[in-house]
Amino acid sequence: MTTRTFPFSTLINKQTSVFPALEDADVILERRDAENLVLMRSERFNAMADGLRLASRSLSIIARANRSMAEEVFAEELPWLTWLPAEARFECVSELLNHLLAGAETGLFLPFARALREWTSTAEIYSDPELARRLRGPFDTSDSIEVGGPGE
């Protein structure tokens, strides 16, 4: 699917430029002071959601039947999994699959996107053995000061 991009102001001032583009493309509305918006026809949105739901359910079924195959599939698509320790790979795959399946059922994919970013960052830390060692501690707390809890 192709996308077309318009400034948000075009939607406000010249709708006749934006709406015809929806016939053969999804539209990204760029905003200066906020996150961009996406406009798409409901038929395309529903088809995408149905496809994602089917794919995530199918992958989840495969994962329950054969975890090593699911990890292999994820590793193919997410090569940074190799940087995680072996025991963390299973946890990562399981968590991502669970978030993906929940997102397919509810339409809420932000938890999946957040978990994907977090696991990617964790893998990047493990890719640098010196950084991973430093973050595991011990930490020099000689210059630290004690901070009270909220309201103290």
Side-chain angles (χ1 to χ4, degrees):
M1 174 51 54
T2 60
T3 59
R4 300 258 328 260
T5 303
F6 294 91
F8 185 77
S9 59
T10 303
L11 177 66
I12 307 271
N13 300 323
K14 301 177 194 167
Q15 296 103 5
T16 56
S17 301
V18 175
F19 291 122
L22 290 168
E23 283 303 314
D24 60 357
D26 296 335
V27 172
I28 298 173
L29 298 173
E30 294 180 329
R31 301 189 301 171
R32 279 186 238 156
D33 298 330
E35 195 170 340
N36 293 342
L37 300 175
V38 176
L39 290 177
M40 65 174 35
R41 290 182 31 212
S42 64
E43 177 184 38
R44 283 197 297 265
F45 175 81
N46 290 333
M48 182 181 64
D50 290 345
L52 184 56
R53 190 172 14 268
L54 175 64
S56 63
R57 284 182 177 162
S58 299
L59 189 54
S60 181
I61 290 167
I62 291 169
R64 281 193 294 273
N66 188 339
R67 278 290 175 178
S68 63
M69 181 188 285
E71 186 173 321
E72 202 175 299
V73 168
F74 264 62
E76 178 85 21
E77 193 60 34
L78 307 172
W80 50 260
L81 279 174
T82 60
W83 294 333
L84 291 172
E87 64 277 2
R89 279 187 219 134
F90 174 79
E91 182 183 352
C92 173
V93 168
S94 179
E95 183 177 331
L96 290 175
L97 284 171
N98 289 339
H99 281 302
L100 189 59
L101 185 57
E105 284 300 313
T106 64
L108 301 173
F109 290 98
L110 287 177
F112 171 78
R114 194 170 29 252
L116 184 61
R117 267 193 321 275
E118 291 166 356
W119 277 109
T120 303
S121 296
T122 300
E124 289 171 0
I125 290 168
Y126 277 108
S127 75
D128 181 345
E130 176 57 24
L131 177 59
R133 185 196 62 72
R134 286 191 356 243
L135 290 174
R136 275 195 289 273
F139 302 102
D140 179 11
T141 58
S142 60
D143 292 336
S144 301
I145 59 170
E146 191 167 328
V147 177
E152 286 183 19

